Amino acid sequence: MEKIYVLDTNVLLHDPLAIYAFAEHKVVIPMTVLEELDVIKDRRDKDVSREARVAINTIDKIVGDASPKALQAGIPIRILDSQDTSQGKGSEGTLAIFPDQQITLTDNIPFLNGNHDHANDNRIINVGLSLQATHPRSSVCLVTKDINMRIKAKGSGLERVEDYRKDRVLDDLDLMSKGYIHFDDSFWSTINSVKTEAHGRHTVHVISKTSLPNIYLNMFVIDDEDFIGFVVNIDQEFVYLLDINRQQLMNQNFWGIHPRNLEQAMAFYLLRHDNSDLMVMTGPAGSGKTLLALAYGLQVTMEEKRFNKIIVARSTPPMAEDIGFLPGTEEEKMAPWLAAFDDNLEILHGADEHSFSSIDYVKQKANIQFKSLNFMRGRSFNNALIIVDEAQGLTQFQLKSIVTRIGSNSKIIVLGNLAQIDNKYITPLTSGLTYLVEKSKSFKYASIMHVNGIERSRLAEFAEENL
């Protein structure tokens, strides 16, 4: 059975290359979608406007110099080569443009009224209804990330309506890597054989890879009997676990603060790990992610002189995408959105005799710069520690564009809480943060830690668990 997919505008904004995700099937783009992309490409919102332009250019590459008749019937889609996106290989699937303005009311097709505030949505739904009526032997599906539009389409009689799932990284959030594997009772009770080696002061356990099939470098193995192992190497047959003393792990120190629970202690260890260019810290509000990252940043910048500056960045809320309505420089405009870092600086230096002077001194001495993610594209950051906060609301493309900005002798720490996503088109399963965790977990220069304990206050812990 032929499958026909009608794409909504938000799908192409979410993934400008979504056309290539439907394999050998037919992709239909309503004229209304092209009109919406044309309006959006000139918006001041840099990320959205760029994605609209990429989507338009992608369509243009496929369409080429096709005739109007061929364009309405369907143009072969050249599947992109993952190594070179400028060239295609193979010919699978087709792309057609549907002139939805020419749809007329008939007795046998239940069209929606297109003369009100939701006219564009209704026109796109009408394309699906028209194709369903004129192609009874085909499976017609409307693909949209708008939940209400999916409900309307089904209520109007469209048989198949789906969310865009190509960007779904996992089927279940519980499957996302936490940076450690926990065993109930004793880990050693699950191991049949082990070879233990002494390397100076360090003890390394060599275990068959079949005993830990889903293990990656820079992960921890812990159990209820205080065993803590850190994966330092993996080959085709064995996993090499560095035996770590729990007391030493809990006695770590960054800029005067110590870990309060095991997850924080493991995060301390990973931050300190020299063989790491990227660290992702996830966890609920109040778990200490920002405090740990900032304390580490001050330690390695001011005391150890490993980096020349600390760049603190986050995406501004939609109402302030251009951050232009606030007075002052870029850093002064970003201050309201990055107040969490000022709060944590107060925690680190609030007990000083002249706390405000200490905080200002630290900001200047550590060369802390506040940046908007919307203005980081095209730049390159060398000799810097980059801390990206509130990353859960970023798309996969946005996070990729940020990580690719990292230059030589630099490190990036990405923080986020998947329970606090404000973007209406992003879910925990499609968030750029989830994507980054799953894609980087097998990269030997990356580390991941889910900091679960809530240490902000007993009220914060109650609210996170019960409200």
Side-chain angles (χ1 to χ4, degrees), residues 26 36 66 69 170 202-203 216 220 241 273 281 284 292 403 465-466:
K26 184 174 184 177
E36 289 186 333
K69 185 176 180 180
L170 297 167
H202 303 294
T203 301
Y216 296 94
F220 289 90
L241 291 178
H273 195 41
M281 267 196 285
L292 296 185
V403 175
E465 295 177 356
N466 299 282

Side-chain angles (χ1 to χ4, degrees), residues 25-273:
H25 307 301
K26 184 174 184 177
V27 175
V28 173
I29 297 181
M31 194 69 71
T32 297
V33 170
L34 294 178
E35 293 171 353
E36 289 186 333
L37 289 175
D38 189 54
V39 173
I40 294 170
K41 71 180 174 60
D42 295 322
R43 278 189 188 175
R44 298 179 67 182
D45 182 344
K46 290 180 169 48
D47 286 322
V48 174
S49 61
R50 181 193 180 280
E51 286 160 5
R53 291 193 296 271
V54 172
I56 292 170
N57 289 333
T58 301
I59 295 170
D60 180 60
K61 285 181 181 179
I62 297 172
V63 170
D65 57 355
S67 67
K69 185 176 180 180
L71 186 56
Q72 293 182 18
I75 303 296
I77 298 174
R78 305 291 295 180
I79 304 300
L80 289 179
D81 187 345
S82 59
Q83 300 298 323
D84 182 4
T85 57
S86 66
Q87 298 179 357
K89 61 177 183 179
S91 178
E92 298 184 26
T94 59
L95 170 67
I97 305 299
F98 193 102
D100 54 84
Q101 72 276 12
Q102 297 178 8
I103 294 178
T104 56
L105 294 175
T106 61
D107 293 335
N108 60 334
I109 303 178
F111 289 122
L112 295 178
N113 187 347
N115 299 318
H116 53 76
D117 292 341
H118 301 286
N120 285 354
D121 286 355
N122 288 356
R123 290 191 187 104
I124 295 170
I125 293 173
N126 286 342
V127 170
L129 293 171
S130 176
L131 289 170
Q132 182 176 268
T134 56
H135 295 71
R137 295 185 178 181
S138 299
S139 173
V140 178
C141 177
L142 172 64
V143 183
T144 176
K145 298 197 70 64
D146 188 330
I147 297 174
N148 191 56
M149 189 171 175
R150 293 201 294 268
I151 297 172
K152 285 173 59 179
K154 285 188 177 181
S156 302
L158 195 57
E159 295 292 337
R160 290 190 59 202
V161 185
E162 295 180 2
D163 187 8
Y164 180 65
R165 296 195 295 266
K166 175 69 166 53
D167 60 344
R168 183 175 293 182
V169 185
L170 297 167
D171 293 327
D172 193 321
L173 200 61
D174 290 337
L175 300 174
M176 189 174 79
S177 175
K178 294 183 177 181
Y180 63 89
I181 297 177
H182 177 262
F183 286 83
D184 296 328
D185 300 322
S186 172
F187 163 68
W188 295 112
S189 64
T190 65
I191 303 299
N192 295 324
S193 63
V194 59
K195 178 183 177 182
T196 300
E197 303 173 347
H199 298 270
R201 295 181 300 169
H202 303 294
T203 301
V204 176
H205 305 291
V206 184
I207 299 168
S208 173
K209 199 174 179 180
T210 57
S211 300
L212 293 167
N214 299 316
I215 202 77
Y216 296 94
L217 279 174
N218 304 327
M219 283 185 71
F220 289 90
V221 176
I222 61 177
D223 66 14
D224 291 339
E225 295 188 1
D226 289 345
F227 169 74
I228 302 173
F230 181 66
V231 182
V232 293
N233 189 24
I234 301 176
D235 59 27
Q236 293 185 352
E237 296 185 40
F238 300 104
V239 175
Y240 299 79
L241 291 178
L242 175 65
D243 199 315
I244 298 178
N245 181 274
R246 183 186 179 97
Q247 185 175 356
Q248 291 180 349
L249 199 67
M250 296 301 296
N251 285 336
Q252 296 174 101
N253 171 54
F254 282 149
W255 206 247
I257 66 169
H258 298 271
R260 293 189 177 183
N261 56 49
L262 183 58
E263 286 94 345
Q264 285 190 1
M266 291 188 290
F268 267 66
Y269 189 89
L270 292 174
L271 285 167
R272 171 64 69 189
H273 195 41

